[in-house]
Amino acid sequence: MRATRLFILGALADGGPMHGHRIRAAAQLDRVELWADIKPGSLYGALRRMADEGVVEVVRTEQEGNLPARTVYGITDKGRADLVSLIRSVLADTRLRPDPIQLVLLHGGEIGSDELRTAVRQRRDSYAAQLDFWRNLRVEAKPYLTRLEAVAFDYTLMRLETEVTWHDRLLAELADTAEQT
């Protein structure tokens, strides 16, 4: 919820009052699901909860033609304070998130060395495919990126490159271990 909250408050702080559909469209345009664990469909429920908390408020209701009425939300002073707090919290959070692959390596013998190597190879290839996707996306987006958005892309690319490199090392170790047995 923290990423969703950060996105909504940031969108309202930057873009002014808007209805949920417009916030969702902004999320889809920005492809936030690639950057954070945000599901565009979850934004509506989050907006209602945030209104109940007083960090956003209903500004007005709009209706165009036969379309359903849309509630327009704005950020409150409490919401701006919450946004600043969230930004500071994210910047201060340097915890390395555990990856269960480390546990798998402790117990991988349960599935056999061939299956383990195959699964690690598939995992490595999945990271490589994601890396290719992000590299292509970066090239397409380059003309439209701000400098900080370009740095954000590079962060994702570097993380994926590290995953591929680590998996290559793991595959080499698994092959070496197989040769020794």
Side-chain angles (χ1 to χ4, degrees), residues 6-180:
L6 182 59
F7 177 76
I8 290 171
L9 291 174
L12 293 173
D14 293 344
M18 59 182 92
H19 51 75
H21 182 71
R22 187 164 159 220
I23 293 171
R24 181 180 176 164
Q28 290 171 322
L29 181 66
D30 290 345
R31 308 225 18 213
V32 295
E33 77 280 358
L34 296 175
W35 305 102
D37 189 22
I38 297 175
K39 312 275 186 292
S42 69
L43 297 173
Y44 298 105
L47 273 168
R48 286 189 292 277
R49 284 188 300 278
M50 292 167 68
D52 290 343
E53 296 171 24
V55 293
V56 301
E57 64 186 352
V58 174
V59 175
R60 66 185 173 275
T61 302
E62 296 177 346
Q63 186 167 8
E64 295 178 24
N66 292 333
L67 293 174
R70 293 183 173 164
T71 303
V72 176
Y73 295 91
I75 189 169
T76 64
D77 289 341
K78 182 179 176 184
R80 286 187 189 283
D82 193 34
L83 175 60
V84 169
S85 176
L86 281 167
I87 291 168
R88 288 179 176 147
S89 171
V90 168
L91 288 170
D93 185 0
T94 58
R95 289 174 296 156
L96 184 61
R97 305 295 188 273
D99 185 337
I101 187 70
Q102 295 157 330
L103 290 173
V104 167
L105 295 179
L106 294 175
H107 307 289
E110 295 295 321
I111 63 171
S113 59
D114 288 340
E115 185 178 348
L116 180 61
R117 276 193 306 277
T118 298
V120 169
R121 165 64 61 194
Q122 290 170 342
R123 187 178 159 101
R124 183 252 182 239
D125 291 347
S126 175
Y127 278 119
Q130 291 176 64
L131 179 57
D132 288 341
F133 168 82
W134 277 90
R135 283 179 175 155
N136 291 331
L137 187 60
R138 172 94 163 62
V139 169
E140 290 175 28
K142 185 177 180 177
Y144 311 103
L145 297 176
T146 67
R147 290 171 67 178
L148 291 180
E149 288 169 337
V151 171
F153 257 100
D154 292 344
Y155 176 64
T156 301
L157 290 172
M158 292 169 83
R159 290 174 70 189
L160 288 167
E161 288 165 353
T162 300
E163 286 289 355
V164 171
T165 300
W166 182 83
H167 280 79
D168 286 342
R169 178 177 174 203
L170 176 57
L171 286 167
E173 288 294 325
L174 290 171
D176 200 35
T177 302
E179 289 174 8
Q180 292 177 3

